[in-house]
Amino acid sequence: MSTAEPLATTPLKVAVLGCGTVGTEVVRLLTDSADDLRARIGRPLELIGIAVRRAGRERPGIDPALLTTDAEKLVSSGADLVIEVIGGIEPARNLILTALKNGASVVTANKALLAQDGSTLFAAAEEAGVDLYFEAAVAGAIPIIRPLRESLVGDEITAVIGIVNGTTNFILDKMDTSGAGFAETLTEAQDLGYAEPDPTADIEGFDAAAKAAILSSLAFHTRVTSADVYREGITDVTSTDIASAKAMGCVVKAVAICQLTGPDANGERAVSVRTHPAMIPRHHPLASVGGAYNAVFVESKSAGRLMFYGPGAGGPPTASAVLGDVVTVARNRLRGAAGPGESSYAARPISSIDTVITRYHLSLEVTDVAGVLATIANCFADHGVSIQTVRQQGRGADAQLVIVTHPAPDAALSATVESLRELDVVVEVTSVMRVEGE
Ligand code: NDP
Ligand code: HSE
């Protein structure tokens, strides 16, 4: 008699932590696609419980018998797989650690936690000999974690550049097409359900910084946390900035830029990670990423340039990425294997934003008198910043100078802007933005 039959029908027990935007769709897919998932994995999955915070909340399509508010008990009740879609640091961190300690493999979409304390989670997974997968943590449905962790792991990645926050891309795209200001566009995005009632994580760049930290850790085989990421949100982007960008054939995008720098004189290579709004030429592929979509470019030594594009948020797209991980982790488990763990052997230093070489676009309101241009040009020269183009718009009280610099260290550009603000001939520095992608 073969023992294959009972083994093949013994289900893998799955616990889901969180049943919000993502969790609801994860549960729906686990239920609706149960037969296909069984065929793909080689075993059925049995949903043993769903942890939530509010027991009494209406949850259409969710079996109430599966719901519990005791997440700690659920992760300690013999699950083979735990799916964490609560978000935030605690209790998600402790629940994941408990699950791993109890021998469960974990699938999570939690970028904030991974970017803050991923190494603790990886160490716990390693010690338990189980998987920690997180495809959904960056760019929703777009497969970008697995390509970095597996497909491209034999190559040398030199840069990862992307639009990794759908909410800010939606807002900037709307501002570009409507000419409206930031505040009214944010309200519209909230009314349409693109932005959260508390939009801080998105508009202040925390979400993108967490994703940039995860991407650079994987790409450059070093530990990068969200605290290492230089971050500027989009709250100061004005309709003037958007119009200035348009006038020079650019579009404003919130970009995440992860670069491997050097080698320096000692042969050392560092990692530079930043997220901020930037002007991008309209012919650049990132410029055409509209609405709440995401796109990620990877530049590597041998493969060259690769682009990944798709929906970066939302319940069903994110659940797709979660389920992909669930199938992979379940297959690994049945083979008694585990997928890749943390790869941080390179231990690279993090560069300061001051040393990053960037270009700036500046709009200045100036007094329209003889010699102004020379005074301003001298200010740039004093800081060693070379001017690429200067354009004057308007006359008299309306005189505007639009200046684009050549690449220079960010510190020199910032110091130039500070000095310009102190000049008598400069009425106001109306727009300052980095220019990327040329
Ligand atoms: P939601 O806020 O919609 O859902 C969170 C869920 O967690 C809710 O069901 C909530 O319960 C539950 N929860 C909160 N605290 C506890 C607790 N202490 N114990 C048990 N359950 C708790 O979040 P999302 O679904 O939007 O996000 C989940 C994760 O997915 C986050 O890490 C997020 O960053 C990530 N993600 C989200 C994307 C998206 O588009 N939304 C895209 C990519 C990743 P209750 O329902 O009772 O309030
Ligand atoms: N709030 C994020 C975004 C989705 O707007 O892209 C979750 O990462």
Side-chain angles (χ1 to χ4, degrees), residues 63-77:
D63 179 357
L66 289 170
L67 295 170
T68 174
T69 52
D70 195 344
E72 191 66 38
K73 188 171 169 201
L74 180 60
V75 292
S76 307
S77 52

Side-chain angles (χ1 to χ4, degrees), residues 348-428:
R348 301 192 191 282
I350 307 290
S351 307
S352 154
I353 183 71
D354 289 348
T355 62
V356 167
I357 306 294
T358 54
R359 294 168 61 219
Y360 267 21
H361 168 285
L362 300 102
S363 295
L364 314 174
E365 206 179 300
V366 294
T367 50
D368 193 10
V369 292
V372 168
L373 205 52
T375 310
I376 288 172
N378 280 337
C379 182
F380 279 83
D382 288 348
H383 292 284
V385 176
S386 164
I387 292 173
Q388 183 185 326
T389 57
V390 184
R391 190 160 45 89
Q392 178 169 343
Q393 291 170 184
R395 302 196 64 149
D398 292 329
Q400 282 269 342
L401 278 186
V402 179
I403 297 172
V404 180
T405 72
H406 280 297
D410 202 88
L413 289 159
S414 304
T416 308
V417 174
E418 286 312 306
S419 300
L420 286 169
R421 288 199 163 109
E422 282 161 20
L423 291 178
D424 289 342
V425 294
V426 174
V427 180
E428 196 186 347

Side-chain angles (χ1 to χ4, degrees), residues 8-28:
T9 53
T10 306
L12 289 171
K13 294 180 179 168
V14 180
V16 177
L17 310 179
C19 193
T21 306
V22 179
T24 303
E25 291 302 320
V26 166
V27 170
R28 189 183 62 76

Side-chain angles (χ1 to χ4, degrees), residues 109 111 136-137 139-140 164-168 194 196 202 207 211 292 294 312-314 318:
K111 74 222 64 158
V164 293
N165 184 272
T167 305
T168 49
Y194 284 102
E196 301 276 339
D202 293 320
D207 178 79
K211 290 166 178 170
N294 283 189
T318 309

